[in-house]
Amino acid sequence: MNKHADAAHWDPSPNNLEPFWMGFTPNRAFKKKPRLIARAKDMHYYDMTGRPVLDATAGLWCSNAGHCRDRIVEAIQKQAAELDFAPTFQFGHPKVFELSARLANLAPGDLNYAFFCNSGSEAADTALKIALAYHRAKGEASRTRLIGRERGYHGVNFGGISVGGMVANRKFFGAMIAGVDHLSHTYNRAEQAYSRGEPKWGGHLADELERLVALHDASTIAAVIVEPMAGSTAVLAPPVGYLKKLRQICDKYGILLIFDEVITGFGRLGHAFAAERFGVVPDMITFAKGITSGAVPMGGVMVRQHIYDAFMNGPDHVIELFHGYTYSGHPIAAAAGVATLETYKEEGLFERARKLEDKWADAAMSLKGKPHVVDIRTIGLVAGIDLEPIQGAPGKRAYDAMEKGFHDHGIMLRITGDTIALSPPLIIKEEQIGEIFEDKLPKVLAAI
Ligand SMILES: Cc1ncc(COP(=O)(O)O)c(C=O)c1O
């Protein structure tokens, strides 16, 4: 086949799915029976035929304000016409400063500074690099060890997979970065099954950090990174007291605490950041996804005053941190971010998530006893539903649920292993919560 001649006849309603190598997707299965999405509005996607598909996952934990919201769309259009790109190395533009100030107001404590990048993965690696550079700037260059957690997800870059704890995301990629250790994950079905909010069992697992300090010595440890609620591993809320204890131990030994809030930020747990919900101020918060409601790629790190200050020395004309991305604080992303934060505020979407939390949890828990369901966990507007795996085919049961959900029942489900993870846009109506748990999911579960 003449590849170039073929490209000239490219048809926009794709009749050749082959050339796109899709990430985190079984390509051959998808291309045999694709799930193509043509457009979106508010709580719904629409396939190529115009059939609505209820979005029970905010796309990919992103679209917290719902889809194609007018204010966000208009802000993007206006910005694209006014200033398409300006560098934020040595130059700047107004929108990125405006967004930073709004984020500083929103973040708890003295998390007063925003460093921008383009994704959650870049945010994780940025935070880890800032941690290393911070200790060096303070004269403690021996603090190079990074501590993550089993089952943690911090994106797919080398720093993130090194501190992360999702086995399949790590095992193919060699030695990763050196000098990393992991806390245990916090899930124990026997002790925690069907938990709403923070499980009562498991706070003591934070004491493992003491064990790692005893093993490695605090003088070698730079930072601990955890998701306040682990999302990608199947929705694990932190046990009662766990995050506060991590904070205490980090303070005791001068270790930085990083919360990865790429999923939990922007209202998912009923607050601007989960840090606020759990009453813990970490030294850094990574964010992405909900910052623009998924409309334009953007990520970043909120940083506490003492960290920023540690870098602000030396001659005025010398760069303080040798890090950044060409598209850090891109004008269109920044405009989308400002419009998204305005939408969250004006529509009270964080409070809305808080108010709906009980109704959401009741509805999710009503699936207890349905076919294949072996555990359900809820917190904020999130639910994890564990399904009994098919013997010899791990992941197949949930895959079938996702497929049938899309094709036969008009619902978008997110799956990880044999868990269905739900996280709808925060604009979800009570009837739509009913639609998910009383109508669509029972039908899906009966069909797999
Ligand atoms: C907690 C967490 N950190 C980092 C990431 C990576 O974000 P991205 O896919 O934008 O790189 C994700 C994505 O789901 C996430 O859930």
Side-chain angles (χ1 to χ4, degrees):
M1 183 177 70
N2 180 339
K3 195 167 150 179
H4 302 287
D6 190 51
H9 293 102
W10 181 71
D11 178 348
S13 63
N15 54 15
N16 183 5
L17 302 182
E18 204 48 33
F20 175 28
W21 186 353
M22 303 170 73
F24 283 118
T25 301
N27 275 251
R28 286 159 301 159
F30 182 94
K31 289 166 187 178
K32 274 186 206 137
K33 196 175 177 192
R35 294 172 293 280
L36 283 181
I37 294 156
R39 70 184 182 87
K41 186 68 189 159
D42 299 333
M43 281 297 300
H44 287 92
Y45 282 116
Y46 296 86
D47 75 3
M48 304 292 281
T49 67
R51 184 179 62 100
V53 176
L54 183 64
D55 180 7
T57 65
L60 196 44
W61 311 87
C62 299
S63 307
N64 292 3
H67 293 282
C68 295
R69 301 299 310 276
D70 291 349
R71 180 197 285 268
I72 302 170
V73 171
E74 281 158 23
I76 292 168
Q77 288 170 334
K78 184 163 173 276
Q79 189 62 47
E82 193 171 288
L83 177 66
D84 53 354
F85 176 76
T88 57
F89 301 172
Q90 306 284 10
F91 298 88
H93 62 86
K95 274 285 180 243
V96 71
F97 288 98
E98 183 181 348
L99 182 59
S100 305
R102 283 172 187 252
L103 284 167
N105 275 335
L106 210 54
D110 63 347
L111 285 149
N112 293 339
Y113 293 88
F115 194 102
F116 289 103
C117 52
N118 310 290
S119 67
S121 300
E122 289 178 358
D125 278 46
T126 295
L128 298 173
K129 286 179 72 178
I130 290 175
L132 296 174
Y134 164 83
H135 288 297
R136 188 187 154 104
K138 301 255 295 175
E140 287 193 87
S142 65
R143 286 188 183 262
T144 57
R145 195 173 301 279
L146 302 166
I147 311 279
R149 191 168 59 186
E150 294 167 354
R151 299 186 65 164
Y153 184 60
H154 305 291
V156 294
N157 290 342
F158 272 107
I161 61 170
S162 303
V163 291
M166 310 269 290
V167 181
N169 294 354
R170 294 162 51 85
K171 69 180 180 186
F172 299 99
F173 305 109
M176 298 174 277
I177 61 171
V180 167
D181 210 336
H182 291 77
L183 298 162
S184 297
H185 67 78
T186 62
Y187 183 57
N188 181 323
R189 185 173 292 163
E191 300 285 351
Q192 300 171 333
Y194 299 96
S195 296
R196 292 168 68 127
E198 297 165 84
K200 292 187 184 59
W201 183 93
H204 63 282
L205 294 170
D207 291 329
E208 283 201 3
L209 185 53
E210 285 278 8
R211 185 177 62 76
L212 294 180
V213 170
L215 173 66
H216 297 297
D217 195 75
S219 66
T220 71
I221 303 177
V224 172
I225 180 166
V226 291
E227 301 153 271
M229 176 211 76
S232 297
T233 186
V235 182
L236 305 178
V240 172
Y242 178 89
L243 295 173
K244 284 202 167 129
K245 206 176 275 182
L246 275 190
R247 177 72 276 181
Q248 283 160 8
I249 301 170
C250 285
D251 283 344
K252 184 167 153 194
Y253 296 109
I255 298 167
L256 296 179
L257 179 61
I258 305 166
F259 279 0
D260 184 335
E261 296 228 29
V262 165
I263 280 179
T264 54
F266 307 107
R268 181 55 55 202
L269 302 190
H271 295 264
F273 293 100
E276 194 184 321
R277 174 172 176 139
F278 298 120
V280 174
V281 181
D283 297 292
M284 287 183 256
I285 288 180
T286 62
F287 63 86
K289 299 188 187 263
I291 177 66
T292 63
S293 198
V296 184
M298 176 172 247
V301 185
M302 296 306 299
V303 171
R304 285 179 73 170
Q305 187 73 45
H306 70 101
I307 295 180
Y308 183 79
D309 288 347
F311 288 89
M312 296 303 130
N313 45 42
D316 260 15
H317 73 283
V318 173
I319 292 166
E320 297 109 355
L321 179 65
F322 284 85
H323 181 71
Y325 302 87
T326 298
Y327 298 127
S328 286
H330 190 283
I332 299 175
V338 169
T340 302
L341 296 187
E342 280 171 353
T343 305
Y344 291 144
K345 190 170 175 196
E346 275 188 17
E347 298 182 10
L349 292 184
F350 304 164
E351 297 75 23
R352 181 182 173 76
R354 204 147 66 223
K355 282 200 198 108
L356 285 175
E357 177 164 345
D358 278 344
K359 161 104 195 161
W360 171 262
D362 289 345
M365 290 297 170
S366 73
L367 295 179
K368 188 174 178 180
K370 290 270 187 277
H372 320 300
V373 173
V374 291
D375 190 15
I376 300 171
R377 299 169 293 281
T378 62
I379 184 164
L381 281 190
V382 187
I385 303 162
D386 290 350
L387 305 179
E388 181 72 35
I390 295 171
Q391 270 223 327
K396 178 81 168 63
R397 179 100 63 198
Y399 182 83
D400 289 348
M402 176 196 59
E403 234 215 338
K404 289 193 188 315
F406 182 84
H407 288 297
D408 303 339
H409 301 289
I411 185 166
M412 180 182 277
L413 303 174
R414 172 90 189 126
I415 54 166
T416 166
D418 271 302
T419 301
I420 297 173
L422 301 177
S423 58
L426 310 179
I427 57 168
I428 189 168
K429 296 197 174 83
E430 294 203 19
E431 312 87 86
Q432 290 165 328
I433 295 178
E435 203 182 326
I436 293 173
F437 293 109
E438 288 159 27
D439 177 32
K440 292 182 183 292
L441 271 178
K443 285 181 184 154
V444 167
L445 292 172
I448 55 175

